[in-house]
Amino acid sequence: MKIGVIGLGYIGLPTAIMFASSGHQVVGLEIREDVVRKINSGKAHIIEPEINERLKAVIAEERFYATTRPEDLRGVNAFIVCVQTPLVDDKPDLSYVENAIRTIAEVMDRGALVVIESTVPPGTTVKMARLLETLSGMREGIDFYVAHAPERVMPGRIFRELVYNSRIIGGVSHKSAILAERLYRSFVKGEIYITDATTAEMVKLMENTFRDVNIALANEFAYLAQQYGVNVFEAIKLANTHPRVNIHVPGIGVGGHCLPKDPYLLLSNAKKEFGLIRLARRINEGMPKIALALLFEAFEQLNIDLATSIVTILGLAYKGDTDDTRNSPALKLRELLEGKVLEVRTYDPYIRGTHNSLEDAVKGSDAIIIATDHREFKNLDWDKIGKLMRTKVLIDGRGIIDRPPRGFLFKGIGRGDV
């Protein structure tokens, strides 16, 4: 088949590569010209294991190329929509999805399959199918087919999970779901479950909302542990030995493209709600302030003048060992610190910060806040780092420090034991 993938971001590009490596001819539509040039040269604009090798292979086999020209999608049998659905004032902006549908309407042939992978509020896929009917003059389920197949992958292991994770595929019509299942079966080895489009939309949002609420509960446990003199990470580990308990990991906040957004998408078309989901969101969104409170508490203990202090944030990505800063709590922490201290420094091995080396970032600093659980930060030489600092304050926002390093005033989210 000839497949058009619209949107070549963190999900679209790996998905396009998988379809191409499975024998399909793939065209990727992307509005960013610099990204298109980079992709066509065989270099990915995102960090993901194996992506450059896989990209170079499908380009060399002439099975994939990127373009900014919508007309290059003519003759495509299946369209995969992987565009963003950002929040604006906690409301979903579906303009990117709608624009993709309008582009498809201009080039679509009779019999085409349209799959929306973008995470959307319940009812969106049906709405987009009706828009496509209006624009094309054709009928869904007869002249063309629309389905929702939400992605379920994690950065850092996308290619493996694209193949082995189970998929949920929901059709606007039953035939649409069957056609989409056949298409994805070209590389998916996990189970594929068939349902209707709106159920598929809700399943995706429920999965991430469950995780977000669970993390909020873990964060409240961490807040309580600080008051009771308990190490929350030890307590959670022990609680999780119960066969029906699975408490998630607390920390400085929740980032990425899914968890901070999907609960709001789930609620966006609801007439009534109970309030639990929004409360969990507020707890998780407020965690950078908890880390900040620990810092201010440490400075007060040591009589450090906040206005003349230098603070180093380790990590800008929302998740360890990636370059993904979408909704990263580290960025919120930086924003909260700026204007309160003399200087905010940042270092991340994957993202350009204020300093290009860890040593430069901590030299003369009064405090370090660990905001990302990069592997590099889990085995640092704290004796060496401490000698470079002016004052040795360490705030662990990710629970990666088991034993507080000697000579540091150490505080951590959920670490009431120190």
Side-chain angles (χ1 to χ4, degrees):
M1 294 181 69
K2 185 175 182 181
I3 298 173
V5 177
I6 301 177
L8 297 177
Y10 284 89
I11 301 301
L13 181 57
T15 299
I17 292 171
M18 286 306 304
F19 277 121
S21 62
S22 300
H24 299 287
Q25 195 71 36
V26 182
V27 179
L29 181 65
E30 170 61 52
I31 61 173
R32 296 168 291 179
E33 292 184 359
D34 58 326
V35 170
V36 168
R37 284 195 299 270
K38 191 169 186 178
I39 289 173
N40 286 334
S41 71
K43 297 178 181 178
H45 61 292
I46 60 175
I47 292 177
E48 180 66 30
E50 304 176 23
I51 193 166
N52 283 322
E53 296 84 355
R54 290 174 177 264
L55 176 60
K56 289 175 183 175
V58 294
I59 289 176
E61 294 168 0
E62 298 185 345
R63 291 197 174 277
F64 171 68
Y65 73 94
T67 181
T68 60
R69 294 157 38 95
E71 54 267 33
D72 289 349
L73 295 177
R74 293 193 184 279
V76 160
N77 308 115
F79 299 88
I80 314 295
V81 178
C82 297
V83 298
Q84 61 175 318
T85 51
L87 291 176
V88 179
D89 297 326
D90 296 339
K91 298 292 183 182
D93 177 6
L94 299 177
S95 62
Y96 296 91
V97 175
E98 183 173 326
N99 288 338
I101 294 299
R102 292 183 180 277
T103 296
I104 292 169
E106 294 178 359
V107 298
M108 181 179 69
D109 294 328
R110 194 174 300 274
L113 171 66
V114 178
V115 179
I116 296 176
E117 282 208 15
S118 303
T119 307
V120 293
T124 300
T125 301
V126 171
K127 182 180 177 181
M128 292 301 144
R130 301 298 169 245
L131 175 60
L132 202 49
E133 286 182 329
T134 300
L135 295 172
S136 68
M138 295 188 284
R139 294 170 295 174
E140 199 283 331
I142 298 174
D143 303 308
F144 67 90
Y145 307 91
V146 180
H148 181 56
E151 54 84 13
R152 305 172 99 186
V153 296
M154 179 180 289
R157 52 192 197 205
I158 287 179
F159 287 106
R160 176 173 177 79
E161 295 199 349
L162 279 173
V163 174
Y164 293 103
N165 281 6
S166 60
R167 297 293 295 242
I168 308 295
I169 293 179
V172 173
S173 59
H174 181 67
K175 186 173 181 180
S176 298
I178 297 301
L179 291 174
E181 179 193 21
R182 290 176 185 170
L183 177 63
Y184 280 84
R185 188 53 75 190
S186 61
F187 66 81
V188 174
K189 294 182 180 179
E191 292 286 338
I192 296 181
Y193 299 95
I194 298 296
T195 185
D196 64 89
T198 304
T199 300
E201 291 165 335
M202 190 163 180
V203 167
K204 165 68 176 183
L205 300 174
M206 286 168 58
E207 291 168 354
N208 285 330
T209 300
F210 164 79
R211 294 165 60 204
D212 193 51
V213 172
N214 194 315
I215 292 169
L217 178 61
N219 281 330
E220 184 152 6
F221 287 155
Y223 194 51
L224 293 170
Q226 287 173 201
Q227 301 172 55
Y228 293 145
V230 169
N231 179 342
V232 76
F233 298 96
E234 180 184 358
I236 288 174
K237 182 179 179 180
L238 293 172
N240 284 347
T241 62
H242 189 290
R244 289 175 293 281
V245 173
N246 180 26
I247 303 167
H248 287 9
V249 179
I252 200 168
V254 175
H257 67 296
C258 290
L259 269 63
K261 179 183 68 173
D262 289 4
Y264 290 122
L265 296 186
L266 180 59
L267 298 172
S268 63
N269 289 338
K271 294 184 176 70
K272 295 181 180 180
E273 58 183 272
F274 290 124
L276 172 63
I277 293 172
R278 289 190 191 274
L279 176 58
R281 270 285 77 226
R282 289 199 297 272
I283 290 171
N284 290 337
E285 288 168 354
M287 290 309 293
K289 293 181 180 179
I290 300 297
L292 209 59
L294 293 175
L295 174 71
F296 295 162
E297 184 181 294
F299 278 2
E300 187 175 346
Q301 284 182 234
L302 297 176
N303 294 315
I304 297 174
D305 181 9
L306 191 64
T308 61
S309 65
I310 299 172
V311 178
T312 302
I313 298 173
L314 293 188
L316 291 171
Y318 88 90
K319 182 182 183 305
D321 303 324
T322 75
D323 66 338
D324 195 343
T325 61
R326 289 175 293 177
N327 299 304
S328 174
L331 302 182
K332 180 64 176 179
L333 178 66
R334 181 182 64 184
E335 179 185 321
L336 291 171
L337 269 173
E338 287 174 345
K340 293 184 175 66
V341 299
L342 179 65
E343 184 182 357
V344 180
R345 299 176 180 175
T346 57
Y347 168 74
D348 190 298
Y350 299 92
I351 302 156
R352 181 181 294 277
T354 60
H355 292 68
N356 294 325
S357 73
L358 175 64
E359 290 75 13
D360 288 343
V362 302
K363 188 175 182 180
S365 180
D366 295 295
I368 291 172
I369 304 177
I370 300 174
T372 308
D373 55 339
H374 289 311
R375 191 177 295 110
E376 177 179 318
F377 298 157
K378 296 178 181 180
N379 298 293
L380 295 176
D381 186 340
W382 289 106
D383 287 337
K384 179 180 178 182
I385 290 172
K387 291 174 182 177
L388 296 171
M389 298 177 69
R390 182 167 64 182
T391 313
K392 296 194 287 187
V393 172
L394 175 61
I395 310 297
D396 185 3
R398 287 296 183 185
I400 66 174
I401 303 294
D402 185 24
R403 295 183 180 180
R406 183 177 54 189
F408 279 80
L409 175 54
F410 174 85
K411 294 181 182 294
I413 289 176
R415 292 300 301 271
D417 59 320
V418 293

